[in-house]
Amino acid sequence: MAISFKVIKEDTESRARLGQLETPHGTVQTPVFMPVGTQASVKTMTPHEVSQVGGEMVLSNTYHLYLRPGHELVAEAGGLHRFMRWDGPILTDSGGFQVFSLGPLRRITDEGVTFRSHIDGSELFFSPEISMDIQMALGADVAMAFDECPPYPCSYEETRKATERTTSWARRCLKHHNRKDQALFGIIQGGVHRDLRLKSAAELSAMGFPGYGIGGLSVGEPKPLMYEVLDYLIPAMPGEKPRYLMGVGSPDCLLEGVARGVDMFDCVLPTRIARNGTVFTRDGKLVVRNAEYARDFSPLDPECDCYACRNFTRAYIRHLIKANEVLGIRLTTIHNLRFVLRLMEDIRTAIAGNHFSEMKTKFLRRFKTD
Amino acid sequence: MAISFKVIKEDTESRARLGQLETPHGTVQTPVFMPVGTQASVKTMTPHEVSQVGGEMVLSNTYHLYLRPGHELVAEAGGLHRFMRWDGPILTDSGGFQVFSLGPLRRITDEGVTFRSHIDGSELFFSPEISMDIQMALGADVAMAFDECPPYPCSYEETRKATERTTSWARRCLKHHNRKDQALFGIIQGGVHRDLRLKSAAELSAMGFPGYGIGGLSVGEPKPLMYEVLDYLIPAMPGEKPRYLMGVGSPDCLLEGVARGVDMFDCVLPTRIARNGTVFTRDGKLVVRNAEYARDFSPLDPECDCYACRNFTRAYIRHLIKANEVLGIRLTTIHNLRFVLRLMEDIRTAIAGNHFSEMKTKFLRRFKTD
């Protein structure tokens, strides 16, 4: 087995739990948030900096790396870890989410998906087997099964078909995947339909994956609906396997996800809004590029311990962003990732100390959401 | 006196010399290359990184900071050092070069220059007094006199007028400047006309500035012509004062400049070409974004000790640049600055060890120029 997972402690007032995920590239404490390095780089950051803000495991994208620079080149470089010089664990997604997000550009059959490259428009084809081949070449510690991710909203009938296909594709992935130093996680689909979610969970669980992704959430549905799905879905998932809620990363959703039993998260949100001049503070988001911060000589977040907050003012960072200086988005990215990763540290400390629910309530009372 | 300069050693085979420039923010070994932080940031880098690659003194731009964020805001932040968190020495240019490069957008009278902002097109006015006020507000260790920098080529008559105006403006700068913890350098003009250069040098020298810029070179003239000007100009400049060749930064020009007696340099070249995917190696420039490096798993420059070369391959950096990942241009920038700053270290070591001419010949024999 490439990875092993053990639950260290379970919270008594919620489904939150502490765990340890052992991988060929080190052990990760869960609940964990994985920064996203779409194109083999966590945008604007060196691997050293990702590590410094507390990043332990990163995610990279099969679809993007397949298109550029190509998985054969990455394999030739010695695999993704060596190519991008990240010595910790890596997870690659299956490419499914990306090829399905391309919308009108794609055609789905039981065999796989025909889609067009967002770079040069060329016609390409992904199947469960191809996704496995690419991910095995990339060589991450965790690969994800190739799934069909329906949009939101989506009719019951269409969701049912996508869920069935996801199950059949999961079987093909399992059959094709043969890299011993890489774990393959299944992905549960089913949209916001309870019976489909439970069916998907049952079918995937029966296949005995070493971990499970929860796909098809955080795709535009209201947050309470996502929480509702997690409420009934997670108890139907294997308790001894890591549960990974894909594409979730806002501070409030991280807390609510952990409370419902999620062990792993990834999301571009913290780094994406950073490049837009928006940062997290304990009071909520702050748009530092706004004129009101032009003469604000305090740090982005006075309670933060990151490099940006220890050294620079809102006024300077706003200036850099307005002047299109790369250092500006480097500093907001460092801060936002540190904010989220420190939140995960606080969450783990709280679970360990039996005060997670209290910590969650306190954080959410202060943190203003949109 | 805000600064003091002493010549430590003179080369016997050339005009190269070792010196020490003491400033309110530390002592700099000369010959020195100053990385350029146009908008209060050396593009893509943190101050810490600039220091790590060997940067001791940086240059920032009066014109740009006046437009954005404004010198009053910088003063309010506690001055440029505190605003950008650079604790070492800073030099600000006068804004002259920028307003004169704007070409048809500007109008020059003896009083000053009317020009249009490159950001919003608004009409603005710079005079020697205004340039001094802005630079005093910014609070760099060294300010530069406001000069008229003629283009290349430029008629004798026009160059003569610009040189006269530069002398008269230098006098006004000296009269208006009154910040005791800031040194004001004069700028010698005169184009490529020997008598005008010598006249400018004589007039400026008589005013007793603590240092002198050589302006109006590296503006498009052939390199041999620039060297010729330096050959007759530098002996006419005060020997005990630092000599600063403005806007020069290619490795070959740095060596030739040092050989002719230059103590200080600045240039955007190393950082600008880096953002374009071009890096320096001991053999000359290398365009790492070219297809031939797609599968090249060696470092940018195998002889370099920088962070980029110690950790990443040409193939990875090329991928990052092709994929528009900021990390790509961060790594090429780190490398190019380290290359130039290490060259300056090697130059100083060579002068100290009495083998500068040999070192220069050896470097130039191998380093292919365009």
Side-chain angles (χ1 to χ4, degrees):
Chain A
M1 204 68 130
I3 63 152
S4 76
F5 179 70
K6 65 169 178 257
V7 176
I8 306 286
K9 182 182 172 113
E10 298 189 296
D11 190 32
T12 49
E13 297 177 11
S14 73
R15 295 213 176 92
R17 57 192 203 170
L18 278 185
Q20 256 182 10
L21 180 69
E22 274 177 48
T23 79
H25 289 84
T27 300
V28 170
Q29 311 303 316
T30 66
V32 65
F33 175 82
M34 299 178 284
V36 179
T38 305
Q39 305 187 107
S41 164
V42 176
K43 286 197 191 300
T44 80
M45 297 180 87
T46 62
H48 183 67
E49 287 164 348
V50 174
S51 190
Q52 271 182 325
V53 295
E56 291 190 79
M57 179 167 188
V58 301
L59 177 144
S60 199
N61 289 83
T62 292
Y63 165 81
H64 290 89
L65 295 177
Y66 166 73
L67 291 184
R68 192 167 53 191
H71 54 294
E72 300 96 341
L73 191 150
V74 174
E76 223 180 286
L80 193 49
H81 293 88
R82 283 190 60 185
F83 185 58
M84 67 186 285
R85 286 289 297 214
W86 175 256
D87 302 326
I90 304 178
L91 179 148
T92 45
D93 69 1
S94 65
F97 181 76
Q98 279 73 28
V99 301
F100 285 101
S101 326
L102 291 172
L105 294 175
R106 48 128 179 96
R107 209 166 56 241
I108 312 163
T109 67
D110 285 342
E111 190 44 37
V113 186
T114 305
F115 60 97
R116 288 192 181 275
S117 156
H118 76 284
I119 298 172
D120 62 8
S122 59
E123 193 171 274
L124 300 163
F125 178 74
F126 262 22
S127 66
E129 291 76 15
I130 292 171
S131 173
M132 290 304 100
D133 286 338
I134 299 170
Q135 291 189 75
M136 287 190 283
L138 296 174
D141 301 82
V142 178
M144 298 302 296
F146 189 67
D147 59 331
E148 177 170 347
C149 179
Y152 177 86
C154 183
S155 72
Y156 182 87
E157 196 42 35
E158 282 198 64
T159 309
R160 193 189 58 76
K161 276 192 224 155
T163 308
E164 260 178 27
R165 202 173 259 143
T166 294
T167 294
S168 120
W169 285 0
R171 208 165 278 128
R172 281 163 60 187
C173 286
L174 208 49
K175 194 172 163 200
H176 197 77
H177 185 270
N178 61 10
R179 187 164 172 160
K180 296 294 169 235
D181 61 348
Q182 181 176 68
L184 175 64
F185 281 20
I187 299 180
I188 297 169
Q189 289 289 349
V192 295
H193 306 282
R194 186 177 179 133
D195 61 329
L196 298 179
R197 278 285 171 190
L198 296 178
K199 185 164 182 272
S200 181
E203 290 170 350
L204 274 283
S205 300
M207 295 184 210
F209 286 99
Y212 291 90
I214 302 169
L217 289 181
S218 197
V219 291
E221 79 284 3
K223 287 176 181 178
L225 192 49
M226 174 172 90
Y227 302 150
E228 193 189 312
V229 173
L230 295 177
D231 280 333
Y232 59 67
L233 173 60
I234 286 183
M237 292 170 66
E240 73 287 7
K241 304 288 176 66
R243 305 154 180 162
Y244 160 32
L245 180 56
M246 304 174 78
V248 165
S250 72
D252 49 325
C253 291
L254 291 171
L255 281 160
E256 298 293 355
V258 167
R260 286 164 176 81
V262 175
D263 305 300
M264 302 167 70
F265 301 88
D266 83 284
C267 195
V268 295
L269 180 82
T271 45
R272 180 169 289 165
I273 65 172
R275 295 196 302 284
N276 224 359
T278 299
V279 295
F280 291 129
T281 76
R282 291 270 160 177
D283 297 308
K285 284 188 208 161
L286 181 149
V287 186
V288 71
R289 63 177 302 139
N290 283 352
E292 61 186 298
Y293 304 111
R295 297 184 133 76
D296 185 336
F297 301 111
S298 64
L300 291 177
D301 175 1
E303 289 162 62
C304 181
D305 60 2
C306 82
Y307 175 75
C309 290
R310 278 187 288 107
N311 289 284
F312 302 95
T313 62
R314 293 173 177 178
Y316 180 61
I317 293 171
R318 173 180 189 268
H319 160 65
L320 293 175
I321 288 174
K322 297 293 285 180
N324 294 314
E325 286 288 350
V326 162
L327 181 57
I329 60 170
R330 282 185 60 190
L331 295 175
T332 52
T333 300
I334 285 172
H335 170 72
N336 278 1
L337 266 191
R338 178 61 193 146
F339 186 90
V340 166
L341 291 165
R342 193 180 177 186
L343 173 61
M344 299 311 290
E345 290 169 16
D346 290 348
I347 286 173
R348 293 193 297 266
T349 305
I351 300 173
N354 298 310
H355 52 84
F356 170 69
S357 295
E358 187 191 329
M359 176 260 169
K360 172 172 171 272
T361 307
K362 205 170 150 194
F363 184 95
L364 293 177
R365 195 179 297 133
R366 186 169 164 197
F367 189 84
K368 208 167 56 204
T369 54
D370 313 313
Chain B
M1 204 68 129
I3 62 153
S4 75
F5 179 70
K6 64 172 179 257
V7 176
I8 306 283
K9 182 180 172 119
E10 298 190 294
D11 190 33
T12 49
E13 296 176 13
S14 72
R15 292 212 180 93
R17 58 191 202 171
L18 277 185
Q20 255 182 13
L21 179 68
E22 274 176 48
T23 80
H25 289 85
T27 300
V28 170
Q29 310 303 316
T30 65
V32 65
F33 175 82
M34 298 177 283
V36 178
T38 305
Q39 304 185 109
S41 165
V42 176
K43 285 197 192 301
T44 80
M45 299 179 85
T46 62
H48 183 67
E49 287 163 349
V50 174
S51 191
Q52 270 183 324
V53 295
E56 293 190 79
M57 180 166 186
V58 301
L59 177 142
S60 198
N61 288 83
T62 292
Y63 166 81
H64 290 89
L65 295 177
Y66 166 73
L67 291 184
R68 192 167 54 191
H71 54 294
E72 299 96 340
L73 191 150
V74 174
E76 225 180 286
L80 192 51
H81 294 87
R82 283 191 60 184
F83 185 58
M84 67 184 287
R85 287 289 298 214
W86 175 258
D87 301 326
I90 304 177
L91 178 149
T92 45
D93 69 0
S94 66
F97 181 75
Q98 280 75 25
V99 301
F100 284 102
S101 327
L102 291 172
L105 294 175
R106 49 129 178 92
R107 210 166 57 243
I108 312 163
T109 65
D110 285 340
E111 189 44 35
V113 187
T114 305
F115 60 97
R116 286 192 182 276
S117 156
H118 76 284
I119 299 173
D120 63 7
S122 59
E123 192 170 275
L124 300 164
F125 177 75
F126 263 23
S127 66
E129 290 76 16
I130 291 171
S131 172
M132 290 303 100
D133 285 337
I134 299 170
Q135 292 188 75
M136 287 191 283
L138 295 174
D141 301 83
V142 177
M144 299 300 295
F146 188 68
D147 60 330
E148 177 171 347
C149 178
Y152 177 85
C154 183
S155 72
Y156 182 87
E157 195 43 33
E158 281 198 64
T159 310
R160 192 188 59 75
K161 275 191 225 156
T163 309
E164 259 178 28
R165 204 174 259 143
T166 294
T167 294
S168 121
W169 285 359
R171 208 166 278 127
R172 280 163 60 188
C173 287
L174 207 50
K175 194 173 161 199
H176 197 78
H177 185 271
N178 60 12
R179 189 165 170 160
K180 297 293 170 233
D181 61 349
Q182 182 177 66
L184 174 64
F185 281 20
I187 299 179
I188 297 168
Q189 291 289 350
V192 295
H193 306 282
R194 183 175 182 133
D195 61 328
L196 297 180
R197 279 285 172 190
L198 296 178
K199 185 163 180 275
S200 181
E203 289 170 352
L204 274 284
S205 301
M207 294 183 212
F209 286 99
Y212 291 90
I214 303 170
L217 288 181
S218 198
V219 291
E221 79 285 3
K223 285 176 181 179
L225 192 49
M226 175 172 88
Y227 302 149
E228 193 190 311
V229 173
L230 294 177
D231 280 332
Y232 59 67
L233 173 60
I234 286 182
M237 291 169 67
E240 74 287 5
K241 302 288 176 66
R243 303 153 180 163
Y244 160 32
L245 180 54
M246 304 174 79
V248 165
S250 71
D252 50 324
C253 290
L254 291 172
L255 281 160
E256 297 295 354
V258 167
R260 285 164 177 80
V262 174
D263 306 300
M264 303 167 70
F265 301 87
D266 82 285
C267 195
V268 295
L269 180 83
T271 46
R272 180 172 289 167
I273 66 173
R275 295 196 303 282
N276 223 2
T278 299
V279 296
F280 290 129
T281 76
R282 291 270 161 177
D283 297 308
K285 282 187 210 163
L286 181 149
V287 186
V288 73
R289 65 176 301 138
N290 283 352
E292 61 185 298
Y293 304 110
R295 297 183 132 77
D296 185 335
F297 301 111
S298 64
L300 291 178
D301 175 1
E303 291 163 63
C304 181
D305 60 2
C306 83
Y307 175 75
C309 290
R310 278 186 289 108
N311 289 284
F312 303 95
T313 63
R314 292 173 179 179
Y316 180 61
I317 293 170
R318 175 180 188 269
H319 159 66
L320 294 175
I321 289 174
K322 297 293 285 182
N324 294 314
E325 286 288 351
V326 163
L327 181 58
I329 60 170
R330 282 186 59 191
L331 295 175
T332 53
T333 300
I334 285 172
H335 170 71
N336 277 2
L337 265 193
R338 178 63 194 144
F339 186 91
V340 166
L341 291 165
R342 193 179 176 186
L343 173 60
M344 300 311 290
E345 289 169 16
D346 291 348
I347 286 172
R348 293 193 297 264
T349 305
I351 301 172
N354 297 310
H355 53 84
F356 170 69
S357 295
E358 188 191 327
M359 176 259 168
K360 171 171 173 270
T361 307
K362 206 171 149 194
F363 183 97
L364 293 177
R365 195 181 297 133
R366 187 169 162 197
F367 189 84
K368 208 166 57 204
T369 54
D370 313 310

